[in-house]
Amino acid sequence: QILRKENMNGADRLFGGHLLTWMDEVSAVCARRYAKGPVTTACIENVRFLCPARLNQILAVTAKVVYTGRTSMEGLVRAEVEDCDGMRTLIADARFILVALDENEHPRAILPLCPETEEERALYEEARQRRAK
């Protein structure tokens, strides 16, 4: 996504509401792929706006499922600006909780996540501990 004038706020920085919309959409795509069906956003946690994005910068938003419950998933969503040389700078991140839905829009069970790498196991354990509170 190339940031345009209509994405900017009065201070010529990316409007946070636009960014949250894009982050929600990317998290939903990620969760739909994992759940193999429809999902809904239940909660957005720990949104951090770390630095501004400006006009004409390239924005990349990525998401990955880092934890699953019986019907819900936690997705880690990251927004970065990318320079022309491909170097990325993190501008925002958040945790999105999404719930898989059946044909009647009721929560439905999903397969448990099986983290494979050390990083995935660490993210899973952090999420598990947060959910246990």
Side-chain angles (χ1 to χ4, degrees), residues 20 23-24 27 41-49 66-67 72-78 92-98 126-133:
L20 279 174
M23 292 172 79
D24 190 30
S27 73
T41 302
C43 181
I44 304 172
E45 297 179 343
N46 199 33
V47 178
R48 299 186 312 159
F49 295 103
V66 297
Y67 179 80
S72 65
M73 296 151 273
E74 179 176 308
L76 176 59
V77 184
R78 297 170 49 94
D93 59 14
R95 297 183 181 282
F96 283 70
I97 310 303
L98 298 105
E126 289 171 15
R128 188 190 67 72
Q129 288 178 11
R130 273 193 306 280
R131 299 290 157 240
K133 292 180 182 179

Side-chain angles (χ1 to χ4, degrees), residues 1 3-4 14 21 31 37-38 43 52 57 67-68 70 73 86 90 100 102 123 126-128:
Q1 167 100 21
L3 298 177
R4 296 180 171 81
L14 174 60
T21 296
C43 181
Q57 284 188 303
Y67 179 80
T68 55
R70 192 178 73 76
M73 296 151 273
L90 182 66
D102 66 15
L123 290 168
E126 289 171 15
R128 188 190 67 72

Side-chain angles (χ1 to χ4, degrees), residues 30-95:
C30 177
R32 285 174 66 168
R33 287 177 177 160
Y34 185 88
K36 296 180 177 38
V39 298
T40 191
T41 302
C43 181
I44 304 172
E45 297 179 343
N46 199 33
V47 178
R48 299 186 312 159
F49 295 103
L50 303 168
C51 61
R54 307 231 181 249
L55 187 65
N56 289 323
Q57 284 188 303
I58 298 168
L59 178 71
V61 179
T62 58
K64 66 179 174 180
V65 173
V66 297
Y67 179 80
T68 55
R70 192 178 73 76
T71 64
S72 65
M73 296 151 273
E74 179 176 308
L76 176 59
V77 184
R78 297 170 49 94
E80 300 169 301
V81 289
E82 186 176 298
D83 295 334
C84 292
D85 63 2
M87 189 72 150
R88 288 187 174 188
T89 302
L90 182 66
I91 63 162
D93 59 14
R95 297 183 181 282

